[in-house]
């Protein structure tokens, strides 16, 4: 009986696409299930473990949709032919209850497999929200706001200490985001990149405009305060992508400058996945429209004229992924 290796390469590639291209075009890298809605109460232990630990540390739970990734281990030839389809034909979506897992997942899949990823979405905001809830950062920030107008040196010293705690968490998150982006810069052939950043445009942390995050200042800015400028600096290194999506910012001038710099043809501003509005006033919508933006529900899009001086990074990745073979049990279907 003829086996798959007896078929022509063209037919095998069609089979790989049937096996690996997901119905929604997305593979959840660090999660076997959709995000949990903590507004409806905490998840049970089984669900939480399957979400946060699933791919990196192993889990007995099944994915909602199988990735069929175990087929990649059939033999070296199939691994070499099919791995580019697995990583390159789907959008790899990364979010975790611990944002450190995002960095280590990208590290764990290996350099060769990172080179095969064409479409990547990273959601750091979700991890910040969960860490904020678990660490009772809500209560700390509320306490800071309450103590602002209370007289007394001891009270103000205590308030200053609490502020330092929150700012330390903010800097820690920013450093982690930069570390992850720099890892991608070193080895990437991305066509599209979506980043969900924690923080709210124009917000004041002490006034709690966003009670889901432990800091509310927008970190997508050129401000040198609290190393915020390092994130746009890291994004500027992602040369060669065609489409850049940022969630969420109102600094469209900075976003457009970065998109033009990396050579993107399409720029999108998007609210967080659980959001339902861009939060723009009518005046702001008119201003954005006059600058070439078009609106579609929770997104704003702008087509850009590509700067031909921006050279696409050389794609030297081979159709052999041995140097970065599947190492994460989470990719097993």
């Amino acid at each position: 009986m003829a086996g798959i290796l007896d078929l022509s390469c063209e037919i095998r590639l069609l089979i790989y696409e049937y096996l690996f291209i997901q119905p929604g075009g997305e593979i959840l890298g660090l999660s076997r299930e959709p995000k949990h809605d903590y507004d409806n109460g905490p998840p049970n232990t089984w669900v939480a473990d399957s979400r946060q630990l699933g791919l990196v540390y192993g889990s007995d739970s099944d994915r909602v949709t199988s990735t069929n990734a175990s087929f990649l281990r059939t033999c070296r030839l199939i691994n070499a032919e099919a791995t580019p389809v697995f990583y390159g034909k789907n959008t790899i979506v990364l979010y975790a209850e611990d944002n450190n897992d995002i960095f280590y997942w990208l590290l764990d899949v290996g350099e060769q497999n990172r080179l095969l990823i064409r479409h990547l979405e990273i959601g750091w905001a979700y991890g910040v929200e969960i860490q904020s809830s678990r660490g009772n950062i809500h209560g700390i920030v509320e306490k800071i706001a309450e103590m602002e107008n209370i007289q007394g040196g001891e009270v103000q010293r205590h308030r200053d200490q609490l502020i330092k705690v929150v700012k330390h968490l903010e800097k820690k998150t920013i450093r982690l985001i930069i570390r992850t982006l720099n890892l991608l810069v070193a080895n990437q052939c991305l066509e599209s990149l979506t980043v969900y950043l924690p923080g709210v445009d124009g917000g004041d942390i002490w006034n709690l405009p966003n009670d889901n995050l432990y800091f509310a200042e927008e970190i997508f800015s050129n401000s040198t305060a609290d190393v915020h400028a390092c994130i746009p600096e890291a994004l500027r290194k992602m040369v060669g992508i065609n489409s850049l999506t940022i969630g969420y910012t109102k600094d469209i001038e900075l976003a457009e400058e970065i998109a033009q710099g990396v050579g993107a043809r399409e720029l999108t501003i998007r609210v967080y996945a659980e959001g339902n509005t861009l939060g723009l006033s009518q005046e702001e919508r008119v201003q954005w429209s006059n600058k070439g933006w078009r609106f579609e529900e929770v997104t704003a899009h702008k087509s850009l004229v590509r700067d031909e001086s921006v050279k696409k990074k050389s794609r030297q990745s081979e159709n052999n992924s041995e140097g970065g073979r599947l190492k994460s049990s989470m990719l097993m279907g």
Side-chain angles (χ1 to χ4, degrees), residues 26-36 51-53 55 92-103 105 120-127 130 196 273 330:
E26 296 181 346
I27 289 179
L28 298 178
L30 273 162
S31 308
R32 292 174 180 268
E33 302 176 31
K35 300 175 185 177
H36 179 73
R51 175 178 299 105
Q52 187 173 354
L53 307 180
L55 285 185
I92 306 298
V93 179
L94 301 178
Y95 63 84
E97 297 187 356
D98 182 346
N99 280 330
N100 284 286
D101 288 346
I102 295 174
F103 173 81
W105 185 90
L120 180 63
E121 176 182 316
I122 304 179
W124 285 289
Y126 179 68
I130 301 307
Y196 288 103
M330 69 178 273

Side-chain angles (χ1 to χ4, degrees), residues 135-260:
N136 194 26
I137 307 303
H138 298 282
I140 294 178
V141 178
E142 288 174 353
K143 193 70 174 177
I144 291 171
E146 292 171 0
M147 298 169 70
E148 181 176 8
N149 298 318
I150 299 177
Q151 301 297 321
E154 186 65 29
V155 172
Q156 291 306 311
R157 280 192 293 271
H158 181 47
R159 181 174 184 272
D160 291 341
Q161 290 175 346
L162 295 178
I163 290 174
K164 289 181 180 179
V165 169
V166 177
K167 287 191 172 293
H168 171 75
L169 292 170
E170 177 182 352
K171 289 180 180 179
K172 182 179 177 181
T173 298
I174 292 174
R175 286 195 296 265
L176 179 59
I177 293 173
I178 294 167
R179 187 184 184 194
T180 305
L181 289 174
N182 285 338
L183 176 66
L184 290 171
V185 167
N187 305 104
Q188 68 94 5
C189 293
L190 294 174
E191 294 178 6
S192 68
L193 174 65
T194 297
V195 292
Y196 288 103
L197 301 170
V200 175
D201 178 80
D204 180 350
I205 185 170
W206 317 130
N207 292 332
L208 295 173
N210 185 339
D211 58 7
N212 289 324
L213 306 176
Y214 57 63
F215 58 92
E217 305 95 336
E218 182 181 11
I219 63 174
F220 180 75
S221 74
N222 275 327
S223 170
T224 56
D226 300 320
V227 299
H228 287 184
C230 294
I231 290 180
E233 181 181 345
L235 286 171
R236 288 186 181 97
K237 299 175 183 177
M238 306 295 294
V239 176
I241 60 177
N242 292 320
S243 175
L244 175 64
T245 299
I246 301 173
Y248 168 68
T249 182
K250 288 185 180 179
D251 194 341
I252 54 178
E253 287 79 13
L254 177 59
E256 188 169 345
E257 179 254 305
I258 292 173
Q260 291 277 14

